[in-house]
Amino acid sequence: MNFEVGSEGQLVIDVYDQDPQRAADMANFFVKDSQRNHSELHVLNARANRQFIEKRYDKNLLDLRSAEDSLRAFQLKYGVVALPEQLEASIKAMAEIYGTLAVKEVEVDVLRSRWNHSIPALLRPSSRSAH
């Protein structure tokens, strides 16, 4: 009887016996036993991975709850109740102001190009805000 690991990682089982049927039966027994052991190891490994993932998941849930509690405490302490909504509203308001400013600057430029000699107010330099 000889067991070897082949060049591609396969298990090679050689069984020598005077009775060819008994040699085949012994080889088949080792193959089946090896498959059973492999399956058991695979199940054990899968179980260990599942248990690790479950523990990590539970810890992540606890960490998330802790972070949510900390966020609520921060919001109450500093009066920030809905940070994402407040931030979105601020950005929209700022975008509207910049949009209005851009429109007014274009209107002034158009008026200057058409009427700059006729309207004295257009001759004065504008006090534009820097973006």
Side-chain angles (χ1 to χ4, degrees), residues 48-110:
N49 283 338
R50 189 197 80 237
Q51 289 170 343
F52 170 78
I53 290 170
E54 284 175 351
K55 286 178 185 175
R56 192 68 192 132
Y57 175 76
D58 291 340
K59 182 174 179 343
N60 286 346
L61 286 178
L62 289 173
D63 290 347
L64 179 60
R65 286 186 193 116
S66 175
E68 288 172 343
D69 292 343
S70 295
L71 176 61
R72 272 192 284 283
F74 175 85
Q75 289 173 332
L76 291 173
K77 181 176 180 180
Y78 293 103
V80 180
V81 178
L83 189 60
E85 290 82 3
Q86 289 176 342
L87 182 61
E88 181 181 355
S90 297
I91 291 172
K92 282 183 180 178
M94 187 169 47
E96 280 185 39
I97 290 169
Y98 277 114
T100 303
L101 178 62
V103 168
K104 293 299 178 186
E105 287 176 348
V106 168
E107 288 174 358
V108 167
D109 287 343
V110 168

Side-chain angles (χ1 to χ4, degrees), residues 4-12:
E4 291 180 19
V5 176
S7 62
E8 296 181 11
Q10 75 277 16
L11 179 62
V12 178

Side-chain angles (χ1 to χ4, degrees), residues 109-120 122-123:
D109 287 343
V110 168
L111 287 174
R112 274 201 182 118
S113 68
R114 284 187 167 175
W115 307 101
N116 70 1
H117 299 295
S118 311
I119 304 173
L122 291 176
L123 294 175

